[in-house]
């Protein structure tokens, strides 16, 4: 009669450059490439292989938490996880299947409205599309229809519930303050439960104006708050005990204690929170304190016997309802005295105006191409999930008014993408935080800018100018950013990418890496038609011609390019369309002939004259490739610089130690030289083919003696990556005694470092293979098999080093 359900809402705001459909390098996530990658490492992956420890802090079990809880992942986040963290993605799918076995055929995964739009603030069409896209995305990934759906920020009104019910969704989850009044089935008397007074231990039913119904669960607010803000996850036993406080002997019905928090609480916001979750659920289940369940199973076993009326236009993260996403209501993340969020209203007004303009444009331009433009938009999720030519062809075979020409197909895809971005620009994070110039808000403005860019082929530039003027009414708290118009000019316009820019990127990067005839650059396919590279000493000239095709809109252009590298960072070039092959050959001959004369000023002038409209340089390169090329260029200079720092350090090290012994401050120049030299030396040592343990230990002693501040994040990441590679090799050769000895010594060395090394992935890789191999070798060793005994003696040390209980 006692049930527990923990729900995790796993979500990150989309961070992709809309023109590239990819996340570019984010330095703030160092040592990871971007924040998605970092949060996968800190939260999403650990929850798939969470640990339960014994009294000696050794791993006794590895648990896929997702199989034991209720969870939802934002569709836009899953679209990134699938290609970038495939093991974690697969663990989510496996967890849903395992939960069906555990919970009477009911999977624990829930769907989510597609891009985290606040649905009560959306127009009717967007509500429908958001729900349909969320369902279609879920079906494609989990192979079944969703029973429940998570509403972004749990924001709800009756119209939103009508859309869920009409789409076959059986239930959703709300905060306790979103309940207004309840009555028991068979009675007419309503009971006021506003102000978080609803009993959250049962399911409730909402009667809708359409005569449809939908079930609603209200999570336990106090326990959920404890998880998020009271450090309950510092201790698994304390977490388990707190969950049990949700039950009461005074109730005579089956009780469900359910909590709901951001899933990132379990590992990202609270380090090792995933282990507290595993331990708490394990304790509750093994001691039979309560039965673990999910919402769908509980709903089948214990259907609602009470009706509820919701608080209209309410949410879990704004005490004023849904005002956080449209007014200066007072809800913010804090820490900025004097700031206001007056910018929220004009930002939403500008986006609403833009949406309405794009709606009219879409209906007018799409009607000749698509039988029912809005029905086509609802079904367009199939193309978003699979951009293959076959899927696109099938989509148009179903929805086009006639067989479309290539140009008509491009136009139709642009119109549909325009509508996709007209919804993405309402992603809730854009209003959640404190400042107009914040990353999340700039991201939604970028989505708007991309939608405008797609519309310009049909209406020209007037739309953008009017939108900027409306954005000017949104004022930044920071004088240097002024308003939304300036932010648009500063960050949105430069981020827009044209086909010519893709060609420029291809041209420059071709100087530093070898491309085949066909290659992919972000969401563009490149088909090379001609390419030549001339080299004179340090100077290089590349001239070529290629066809660049968007995998999103199928828009394509054949462009000629030329790029001159004078050494170091001095790169210049250009891109242009040429009407004929003859004109391209003439251009190529002119440039190569000029280059052969070794006349640098003439060559620069020739490039400028050949490509007057679309010049480019290293500055115009996309961020990841720009960093990669800059690092390549810098490498030679860095080697010399590091050698110089090393020489300075070595020449002065005895004097530095003498100063330290006297208690005198070390001159900043010597301190800087020591830090640069030793950190670089250590990182290189971790990455070498053979790890020089003695050399590393010597460098660490020097660092201690000279009080050098170690780059702990960078060094830990380098060694962790190395250990993970070694673990893959070790697991593939578990019977190899030499490999086992080498791996053991490396682990032994890692334990001596002055900073902890995250061994989670190494443990994941070794856990089962190591235990199974030890179990296989024991009988052989007991039969006096000398080789088996030697290998076993070596292997049994490694679980202790990895804190694995065998």
């Amino acid at each position: 009669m006692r049930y527990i359900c923990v729900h995790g809402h796993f979500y990150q705001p989309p961070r992709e450059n809309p023109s590239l459909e990819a996340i570019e390098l984010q330095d703030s996530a160092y040592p990871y490439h971007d924040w998605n990658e970092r949060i996968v490492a800190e939260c999403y992956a650990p929850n798939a292989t969470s640990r339960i420890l014994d009294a000696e802090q050794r791993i006794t079990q590895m648990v896929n938490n997702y199989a034991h809880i209720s969870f939802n992942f934002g569709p836009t986040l899953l679209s990134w996880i699938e290609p970038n963290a495939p093991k974690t993605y697969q663990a989510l799918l496996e967890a849903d299947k395992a939960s069906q076995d555990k919970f009477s055929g009911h999977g624990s995964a829930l769907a989510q409205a597609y891009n985290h739009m606040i649905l009560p603030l959306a127009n009717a069409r967007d509500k429908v599309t958001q729900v349909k896209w969320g369902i279609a995305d879920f079906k494609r990934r989990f192979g079944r229809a969703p029973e429940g759906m998570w509403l972004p920020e749990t924001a709800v009104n009756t119209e939103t519930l009508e859309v869920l019910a009409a789409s076959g969704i059986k239930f959703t989850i709300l905060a306790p303050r979103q309940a207004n009044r309840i009555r028991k089935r068979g009675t007419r008397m309503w009971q006021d439960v506003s102000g978080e007074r609803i009993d959250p231990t049962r399911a409730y039913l909402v009667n809708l104006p359409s005569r449809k119904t939908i079930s609603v669960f209200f999570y336990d607010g106090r326990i959920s708050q404890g998880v998020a803000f009271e450090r309950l996850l510092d201790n698994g036993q304390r977490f388990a005990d707190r969950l049990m406080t949700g039950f009461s002997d005074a109730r005579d019905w089956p009780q469900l204690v359910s909590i709901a928090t951001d899933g990132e609480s379990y590992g990202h916001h609270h380090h090792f929170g995933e282990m507290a979750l595993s331990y708490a659920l394990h304790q509750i289940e093994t001691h039979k304190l309560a039965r673990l369940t999910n919402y769908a199973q509980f709903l089948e076993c214990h259907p609602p016997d009470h009706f509820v009326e919701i608080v209209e236009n309410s949410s879990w993260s704004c005490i004023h309802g849904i005002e956080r996403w449209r007014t200066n209501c007072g809800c913010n993340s804090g820490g900025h005295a004097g700031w206001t969020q007056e910018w929220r209203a004009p930002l939403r007004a500008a986006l609403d105006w833009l949406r309405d303009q794009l709606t009219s444009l879409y209906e007018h331009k799409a009607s000749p191409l698509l039988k029912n433009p809005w029905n086509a938009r609802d079904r367009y999720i199939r193309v978003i999930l699979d951009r293959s030519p076959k899927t696109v062809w099938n989509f148009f075979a179903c929805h086009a008014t006639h067989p479309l020409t290539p140009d008509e197909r491009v136009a139709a895809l642009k119109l549909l993408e325009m509508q996709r971005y007209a919804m993405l620009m309402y992603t809730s994070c854009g209003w959640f935080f404190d400042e107009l110039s914040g990353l999340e808000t700039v991201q939604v403005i970028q989505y708007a800018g991309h939608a405008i860019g797609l519309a310009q082929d049909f209406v020209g530039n007037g739309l953008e100018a009017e939108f900027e003027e409306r954005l000017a009414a949104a004022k930044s708290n920071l004088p240097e950013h002024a308003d939304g118009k300036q932010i648009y000019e500063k960050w949105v316009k430069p981020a827009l990418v044209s086909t010519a820019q893709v060609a420029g990127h291809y041209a420059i990067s071709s100087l530093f890496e070898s491309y085949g005839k066909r290659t992919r650059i972000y969401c563009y396919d490149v088909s090379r038609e001609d390419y030549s590279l001339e080299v004179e000493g340090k100077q290089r000239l590349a001239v070529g011609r290629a066809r660049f095709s968007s995998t999103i809109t199928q828009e394509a252009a054949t462009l000629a390019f030329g790029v001159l590298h004078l050494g170091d960072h001095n790169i210049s070039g250009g891109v242009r369309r040429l009407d004929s092959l003859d004109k391209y050959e003439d251009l190529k001959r002119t440039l190569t002939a000029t280059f052969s004369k070794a006349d640098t000023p003439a060559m620069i002038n020739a490039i400028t004259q050949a490509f007057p409209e679309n010049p480019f340089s290293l500055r115009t390169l996309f961020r990841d490739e720009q960093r990669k090329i800059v690092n390549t260029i810098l490498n030679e200079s860095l080697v010399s610089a590091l050698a110089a720092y090393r020489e300075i350090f070595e020449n002065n090290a005895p004097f530095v130690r003498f100063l330290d012994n006297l208690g005198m401050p070390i001159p900043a120049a010597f301190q800087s030289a020591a830090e640069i030299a030793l950190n670089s030396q250590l990182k290189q040592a971790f990455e070498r083919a053979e790890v020089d343990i003695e050399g590393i230990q010597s460098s660490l002693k020097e660092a201690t003696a000279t009080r050098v501040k170690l780059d702990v994040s960078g060094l830990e990441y380098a060694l962790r990556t190395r250990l993970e590679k070694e673990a893959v090799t070790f697991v593939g050769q578990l019977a190899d005694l030499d490999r086992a000895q080498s791996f053991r010594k490396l682990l032994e060395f890692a334990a001596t470092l002055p900073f902890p090394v995250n061994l989670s992935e190494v443990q994941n890789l070794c856990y089962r293979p190591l235990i199974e191999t030890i179990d296989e070798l024991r009988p052989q060793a007991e039969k006096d098999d000398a080789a088996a005994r030697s290998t076993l003696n070596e292997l049994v040390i490694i679980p202790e080093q990895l804190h694995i209980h065998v």
Side-chain angles (χ1 to χ4, degrees):
M1 297 290 284
R2 292 187 169 191
Y3 300 83
I4 282 180
C5 177
V6 173
H7 182 82
H9 165 52
F10 295 88
Y11 173 74
Q12 284 298 297
R15 296 184 169 97
E16 286 79 2
N17 178 330
S19 298
L20 302 176
E21 297 275 335
I23 300 175
E24 295 185 277
L25 182 68
Q26 295 176 319
D27 288 325
S28 60
Y30 177 82
Y32 299 92
H33 176 271
D34 54 70
W35 278 100
N36 277 14
E37 185 178 290
R38 180 168 178 167
I39 295 169
V40 164
E42 293 177 352
C43 176
Y44 306 150
N47 272 288
T49 52
S50 186
R51 284 90 165 114
I52 295 176
L53 308 181
D54 63 15
E56 297 177 38
Q57 301 299 297
R58 296 177 303 177
I59 300 169
T60 60
Q61 288 186 50
M62 280 194 179
V63 179
N64 186 337
N65 278 345
Y66 302 110
H68 302 278
I69 66 172
S70 169
F71 67 91
N72 76 280
F73 271 76
T76 53
L77 176 58
L78 284 177
S79 71
W80 182 91
I81 291 177
E82 182 179 10
N84 293 287
K87 286 202 293 186
T88 299
Y89 181 77
Q90 192 59 38
L92 296 175
L93 306 188
E94 290 170 0
D96 186 63
K97 287 186 172 65
S99 65
Q100 291 176 54
D101 294 335
K102 184 179 179 72
F103 301 129
S104 311
H106 298 284
S108 286
L110 271 62
Q112 181 200 285
Y114 186 72
N115 66 261
H116 220 262
M117 181 189 292
I118 301 300
L119 294 188
L121 292 174
N123 65 25
R125 279 201 186 99
D126 285 356
K127 281 186 181 73
V128 170
T129 304
Q130 286 286 301
V131 171
K132 286 188 174 182
W133 282 17
I135 291 171
D137 185 274
F138 185 93
K139 286 180 176 178
R140 181 259 182 187
R141 298 182 190 284
F142 293 97
R144 64 178 180 86
E147 295 184 83
M149 175 169 277
W150 180 266
L151 294 173
E153 304 293 342
T154 73
V156 71
N157 62 1
T158 297
E159 185 182 20
T160 298
L161 293 181
E162 286 278 22
V163 174
L164 296 188
S167 301
I169 297 296
K170 296 177 183 176
F171 68 87
T172 191
I173 307 161
L174 299 179
R177 68 162 168 259
Q178 294 179 269
N180 185 29
R181 60 179 190 165
I182 63 171
R183 69 175 174 86
K184 189 170 184 178
R185 188 186 293 272
T187 69
R188 295 184 180 181
M189 183 69 69
W190 287 94
Q191 176 188 350
D192 183 356
V193 293
S194 60
E196 303 192 42
R197 290 178 295 153
I198 192 167
D199 189 320
T201 62
R202 54 160 62 101
Y204 295 86
L205 197 66
V206 178
N207 279 324
L208 298 168
S210 65
R211 296 191 177 182
K212 289 184 171 65
T213 60
I214 186 168
S215 294
V216 175
F217 291 92
F218 295 91
Y219 63 79
D220 188 303
R222 290 176 182 171
I223 302 176
S224 299
Q225 286 285 107
V227 170
F229 303 111
E230 296 170 18
R231 307 202 64 84
L232 266 186
L233 300 180
D234 286 354
N235 183 286
Q237 185 61 57
R238 183 168 159 241
F239 183 26
D241 293 343
R242 185 66 180 275
L243 285 169
M244 294 305 298
T245 65
F247 295 109
S248 170
D249 292 335
R251 300 186 184 107
D252 60 357
W253 59 84
Q255 299 175 62
L256 172 68
V257 171
S258 82
I259 64 169
T261 66
D262 287 335
E264 290 75 20
S265 296
Y266 303 106
H268 174 57
H269 299 315
H270 303 285
H271 289 314
F272 306 113
E274 79 285 354
M275 293 171 63
L277 174 62
S278 302
Y279 185 87
L281 298 182
H282 178 71
Q283 285 291 98
I284 289 167
E285 196 164 34
T286 55
H287 291 88
K288 299 187 174 170
L289 303 176
R291 178 179 171 185
L292 300 188
T293 188
N294 61 25
Y295 293 110
Q297 184 193 41
F298 186 87
L299 193 62
E300 180 185 49
C301 296
H302 308 288
D305 61 0
H306 281 68
F307 295 100
V308 66
E309 287 184 357
I310 62 166
V311 176
E312 293 289 330
N313 295 325
S314 58
S315 69
W316 76 342
S317 49
C318 177
I319 60 173
H320 312 96
I322 54 173
E323 297 308 303
R324 187 169 193 156
W325 297 277
R326 63 180 174 184
T327 68
N328 181 31
C329 67
C331 289
N332 54 58
S333 50
H336 301 100
W339 282 18
T340 77
Q341 287 72 54
E342 293 290 351
W343 53 267
R344 287 174 178 164
L347 173 61
R348 182 163 289 277
L351 294 180
D352 285 348
W353 173 85
L354 178 60
R355 176 200 62 202
D356 294 343
Q357 298 299 308
L358 297 178
T359 295
S360 298
L361 172 64
Y362 180 68
E363 289 179 334
H364 176 62
K365 295 295 184 179
S367 293
L369 304 173
L370 302 170
K371 296 172 187 173
N372 183 325
W374 296 112
N375 184 48
R377 187 182 80 161
D378 288 343
R379 304 298 188 278
Y380 185 59
I381 184 63
R382 299 174 187 173
V383 175
I384 295 170
L385 291 169
D386 178 10
R387 299 281 185 181
S388 68
K390 181 180 179 182
T391 300
V392 175
W393 189 91
N394 287 338
F395 174 80
F396 284 123
C398 182
H399 295 286
T401 55
H402 60 279
L404 301 181
T405 66
D407 285 346
E408 287 176 324
R409 199 160 52 245
V410 169
L413 287 169
K414 281 189 171 183
L415 290 165
L416 288 159
E417 281 296 305
M418 179 186 77
Q419 280 298 307
R420 175 163 78 107
Y421 280 95
M423 288 189 289
L424 283 169
M425 70 188 185
Y426 284 110
T427 301
S428 69
C429 321
W431 288 265
F432 191 85
F433 298 101
D434 296 2
E435 166 52 20
L436 181 66
S437 61
L439 289 175
E440 295 81 6
T441 309
V442 171
Q443 184 76 31
V444 301
I445 299 173
Q446 279 190 330
Y447 288 147
H450 191 66
I452 289 170
L454 291 164
Q456 282 176 340
D457 284 356
F458 304 98
V459 295
N461 297 326
L463 200 62
E464 183 174 52
E466 176 67 18
F467 180 64
E468 285 191 68
E469 290 307 314
R470 291 173 182 271
L471 278 181
K475 306 298 180 184
S476 169
N477 289 294
L478 300 170
E480 61 267 32
H481 299 314
D483 55 40
K485 180 178 181 180
Q486 185 166 313
I487 287 167
Y488 189 90
E489 292 285 340
K490 187 185 294 185
W491 286 311
V492 176
K493 280 188 173 180
L496 297 172
V497 175
S498 66
T499 307
Q501 285 172 283
V502 176
H505 175 95
Y506 175 83
I508 293 178
S509 56
S510 73
L511 294 171
F512 298 90
E513 62 180 292
S514 179
Y515 286 125
K517 287 244 178 210
R518 295 181 181 276
T519 193
R520 171 72 62 86
I521 294 179
Y522 293 107
C523 57
Y524 286 85
D525 282 330
V526 183
S527 178
R528 194 176 70 200
E529 297 180 0
D530 184 59
Y531 184 82
S532 70
L533 179 65
E534 306 293 328
V535 181
E536 291 286 347
K538 284 189 174 182
Q539 298 186 3
R540 292 181 291 171
L541 170 72
V543 183
R545 173 182 162 99
R547 186 167 182 79
F548 299 87
S549 306
S550 167
T551 61
I552 309 299
T553 65
Q554 297 187 356
E555 186 174 32
T558 300
L559 298 171
F561 56 83
V563 58
L564 175 67
H565 184 205
L566 299 174
D568 295 331
H569 64 289
N570 300 302
I571 299 173
S572 61
V575 171
R576 65 182 292 184
R577 291 177 184 268
L578 290 172
D579 298 334
S580 68
L581 193 56
D582 290 341
K583 288 184 179 179
Y584 165 70
E585 293 294 344
D586 288 342
L587 178 143
K588 180 179 173 183
R589 277 193 294 271
T590 300
L591 292 177
T592 53
T594 306
F595 182 76
S596 67
K597 295 174 184 176
D599 185 342
T600 300
M603 190 63 230
I604 294 172
N605 186 54
I607 286 282
T608 303
Q609 290 186 350
F611 304 101
E613 294 181 0
N614 292 299
F616 56 80
S617 68
L618 193 55
R619 287 181 183 275
T620 58
L621 218 58
F622 304 142
R623 186 159 185 161
D624 284 75
E625 193 71 16
Q626 184 185 67
R627 183 66 58 86
K628 180 179 173 183
I629 290 173
V630 166
N631 286 342
T632 301
I633 293 169
L634 282 174
N635 190 52
E636 187 176 327
S637 300
L638 281 173
V639 169
S640 301
L642 290 171
Y645 279 116
R646 181 70 191 172
E647 185 177 357
I648 293 169
F649 167 67
E650 289 178 344
N651 289 341
N652 294 281
F655 183 48
V656 168
R657 283 194 284 272
F658 176 70
L659 291 175
D660 184 56
N661 288 333
L662 290 178
M664 294 178 64
I666 298 170
F670 292 162
Q671 191 72 39
S672 296
E675 286 186 10
I676 293 169
L678 288 173
N679 277 304
S680 173
Q681 189 170 307
L682 285 166
K683 190 174 181 184
Q684 289 173 2
F686 289 154
E687 294 170 348
R688 285 197 187 103
E690 293 293 329
V691 179
D692 179 7
I693 292 176
E694 290 183 2
I696 292 170
Q697 289 172 333
S698 175
S699 295
L700 288 170
K701 284 179 183 177
E702 282 186 281
T704 301
T706 52
R707 298 189 184 183
V708 161
K709 183 180 179 182
L710 295 176
D711 173 17
V712 171
S713 294
L715 294 174
E716 188 278 337
Y717 186 77
L719 182 57
R720 187 201 328 165
T721 304
R722 176 58 182 269
L723 283 167
E724 288 167 3
K725 289 179 181 175
E726 294 293 332
V728 170
T729 306
F730 165 66
V731 167
Q733 304 172 28
L734 279 168
D736 186 322
L737 181 60
D738 291 338
R739 175 63 63 184
Q741 289 174 336
S742 174
F743 188 57
R744 173 183 59 77
K745 288 176 182 176
L746 195 55
L747 289 171
E748 193 175 87
F749 158 68
T752 68
L753 293 173
F755 52 83
V757 180
N758 184 343
L759 297 174
S760 295
E761 183 60 19
V762 176
Q763 292 167 334
N764 294 345
L765 291 164
C766 296
Y767 182 73
R768 294 192 189 286
L770 194 54
I771 291 173
E772 289 170 1
T773 303
I774 288 172
D775 286 345
E776 289 171 6
L777 286 173
R778 274 198 176 115
Q780 298 173 36
E782 289 169 0
K783 293 178 182 178
D784 293 329
D785 184 328
R789 190 183 307 112
S790 297
T791 304
L792 180 63
N793 289 340
E794 195 68 41
L795 288 182
V796 294
I797 300 170
I798 294 173
E800 290 299 318
Q801 293 175 306
L802 293 176
H803 310 291
I804 295 171
H805 175 74
V806 177

